[in-house]
């Protein structure tokens, strides 16, 4: 028998992560390949994204609407069934800023548990940053370099500074794409972000940005670059100008962007550009990782 197929030497576990964000919710199913004497491999099996913009409810009205509660319940029921047919053995479901700030967030959690059979935990920005930071970055992080990890979501942006291969400091700001679209991010918050980034990066000669989130992934895909190549500040700035020159409808019809991506991609690009400018970074790397990947890895290694 081929040794790779020998059940004694190779084991495959299936874990899943549900990320309930402000702009969309995702189910990531991961195959974890264990082999004696080797580092465990994490291979994406399936990723399902459902565009339910909870932040539009939470940030403007303060509660999740009945329509979106019903849509969430349907989505979570579908996620539970998908996990069942994939034979997922372990999962965690985390909700971020939209559910965190909705006054009926805990009520929605109870409804989902009763109707869809999914247990959801609402996490704070600090835990979110820690989970994202636990993603497998060692293949990107060079021990002699400094990186600012920037994860832009619909409700918040998480920053984590890495130096010498270790996390130095992290911070969550209520500056996300859905908030920016609704003109809910005041100048004082931009100033706080600028002050924090400058204060925490000024002692380092050179900083490189690592970007995560659906919008920077889309921008990277549009660039046609190879996965290990970065985007430059100049390129990102030109893309920002180009996207701004198009109408919302043109971004959908001419660029093929999803309707729920075509509006938030502009404020997201603005955040990444500012992070690069304030840290002095000339390049941004875009690995295919995010909160969902962090949940799976943190769960597997017993960090959460």
């Amino acid at each position: 028998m081929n040794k790779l197929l020998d059940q004694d030497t190779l084991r495959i576990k299936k874990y899943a992560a549900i990320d309930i964000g402000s702009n969309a919710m995702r189910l990531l199913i991961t195959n974890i390949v264990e082999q004696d004497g080797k580092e465990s491999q994490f291979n994406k099996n399936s990723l399902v994204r459902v565009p339910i913009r909870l932040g539009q409810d939470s940030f403007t009205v303060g509660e999740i609407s009945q329509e979106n509660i019903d849509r969430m319940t349907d989505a979570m029921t579908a996620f539970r069934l998908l996990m069942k047919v994939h034979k997922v053995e372990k999962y965690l479901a985390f909700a971020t800023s939209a559910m965190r700030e909705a006054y009926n967030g805990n009520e929605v959690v109870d409804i989902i548990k009763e109707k869809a059979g999914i247990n959801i935990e609402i996490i704070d920005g600090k835990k979110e940053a820690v989970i994202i930071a636990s993603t497998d970055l060692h293949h990107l992080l060079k021990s002699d370099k400094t990186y600012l990890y920037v994860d832009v979501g619909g409700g918040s942006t998480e920053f984590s500074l890495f130096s010498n291969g270790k996390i130095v400091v992290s911070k969550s700001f209520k500056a996300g794409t859905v908030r920016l679209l609704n003109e809910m991010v005041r100048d004082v918050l931009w100033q706080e972000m600028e002050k924090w980034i400058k204060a925490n990066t000024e002692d380092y000669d050179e900083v490189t940005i690592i970007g995560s989130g659906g919008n920077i992934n889309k921008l990277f895909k549009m660039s046609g670059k190879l996965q290990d190549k970065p985007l430059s500040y100049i390129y990102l700035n030109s893309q920002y100008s180009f996207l701004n020159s198009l109408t919302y409808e043109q971004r959908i019809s001419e660029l093929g962007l999803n309707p729920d991506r075509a509006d938030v991609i502009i404020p997201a690009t603005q955040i990444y550009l500012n992070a690069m400018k304030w840290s002095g970074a000339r390049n941004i790397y875009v690995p295919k990782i995010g909160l969902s990947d962090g949940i799976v890895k943190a769960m597997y290694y017993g960090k959460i």
Side-chain angles (χ1 to χ4, degrees):
M1 181 186 284
N2 185 328
K3 194 174 181 183
L4 284 176
L5 298 178
D6 187 339
Q7 292 301 307
D8 292 331
T9 61
L10 187 133
R11 298 168 299 280
I12 299 175
K13 293 182 175 180
K14 284 195 178 182
Y15 281 18
I18 297 174
D19 166 16
I20 301 161
S22 304
N23 195 45
M25 48 192 69
R26 298 167 187 81
L27 166 68
L28 172 68
I29 297 174
T30 301
N31 291 339
I32 305 170
V33 182
E34 298 177 330
Q35 201 168 358
D36 295 338
K38 291 188 177 181
E39 191 176 342
S40 297
Q41 290 183 358
F42 295 80
N43 301 324
K44 183 174 77 174
N45 181 298
S46 175
L47 177 64
V48 181
R49 180 180 181 276
V50 182
I52 302 176
R53 190 168 284 181
L54 299 179
Q56 194 62 40
D57 289 343
S58 182
F59 307 144
T60 60
V61 186
E63 67 172 334
I64 308 297
S65 66
Q66 187 58 52
E67 180 191 354
N68 276 340
I69 292 173
D70 293 341
R71 292 178 73 203
M72 265 189 85
T73 304
D74 287 343
M76 291 301 135
T77 302
F79 285 0
R80 179 175 56 79
L81 291 171
L82 282 168
M83 289 192 290
K84 182 182 177 183
V85 297
H86 277 279
K87 295 185 177 179
V88 167
E89 52 194 276
K90 198 172 183 182
Y91 83 92
L92 281 174
F94 287 156
T96 53
S97 55
M99 289 277 282
R100 199 156 62 220
E101 293 179 37
Y103 79 77
N104 62 341
N106 289 323
E107 182 187 332
V108 175
V109 167
D110 293 338
I111 292 169
I112 299 294
K113 185 175 182 180
E114 181 187 345
K115 294 188 175 180
I118 295 288
N119 294 303
I120 297 170
E121 180 186 343
I122 299 174
I123 60 172
D124 60 25
K126 189 174 181 181
K127 185 168 183 177
E128 187 176 351
V130 168
I131 292 168
I132 292 165
S134 73
T135 54
D136 187 17
L137 288 172
H138 72 263
H139 64 289
L140 261 182
L141 299 177
K142 294 177 181 174
S143 59
D144 59 338
K145 292 185 179 291
T146 303
Y147 301 89
L148 180 63
Y149 189 101
V150 184
D151 182 75
V152 177
S156 62
T157 295
E158 274 66 48
F159 297 100
S160 297
L161 186 72
F162 291 86
S163 187
N164 297 320
K166 294 180 180 178
I167 188 164
V168 178
V169 65
S170 65
K171 177 85 170 174
S172 178
F173 289 91
K174 289 183 180 180
T177 57
V178 178
R179 284 190 212 272
L180 282 161
L181 280 180
N182 287 283
E183 299 180 349
M184 298 178 72
V185 179
R186 297 169 65 183
D187 288 345
V188 67
L189 188 57
W190 282 111
Q191 290 160 13
E192 284 177 23
M193 285 167 62
E194 179 180 2
K195 186 178 177 182
W196 187 89
I197 290 173
K198 285 182 174 179
N200 285 287
T201 59
E202 65 182 0
D203 292 338
Y204 302 96
D205 293 333
E206 187 180 341
V207 175
T208 298
I209 301 277
I210 296 175
S212 78
N215 292 292
I216 194 68
N217 285 334
K218 188 65 183 179
L219 285 161
F220 187 84
K221 192 174 181 182
M222 288 163 64
S223 76
K225 281 184 174 282
L226 295 173
Q227 195 61 47
D228 60 345
K229 301 296 181 185
L231 301 178
S232 68
Y233 178 88
I234 293 168
Y235 173 81
L236 203 60
N237 197 37
S238 67
Q239 281 296 96
Y240 179 65
S241 299
F242 171 62
L243 289 165
N244 258 317
S245 72
L246 301 176
T247 64
Y248 171 72
E249 290 76 16
Q250 285 174 322
R251 282 175 235 138
I252 295 170
S253 62
E254 295 178 22
L255 300 182
L257 296 180
N258 289 331
D260 70 304
R261 176 76 64 215
D263 51 359
V264 293
I265 197 167
I266 288 178
T269 310
Q270 184 184 7
I271 295 173
Y272 290 112
L273 282 169
N274 278 331
M276 293 180 82
K277 183 168 66 178
W278 296 332
S279 64
R282 294 193 296 269
N283 292 305
I284 179 168
Y285 284 88
V286 189
K288 289 184 176 178
I289 51 175
L291 182 64
S292 301
D293 303 87
I295 293 170
V296 169
K297 289 190 174 75
M299 190 170 24
Y300 180 74
Y301 290 116
K303 293 181 180 178
I304 50 175

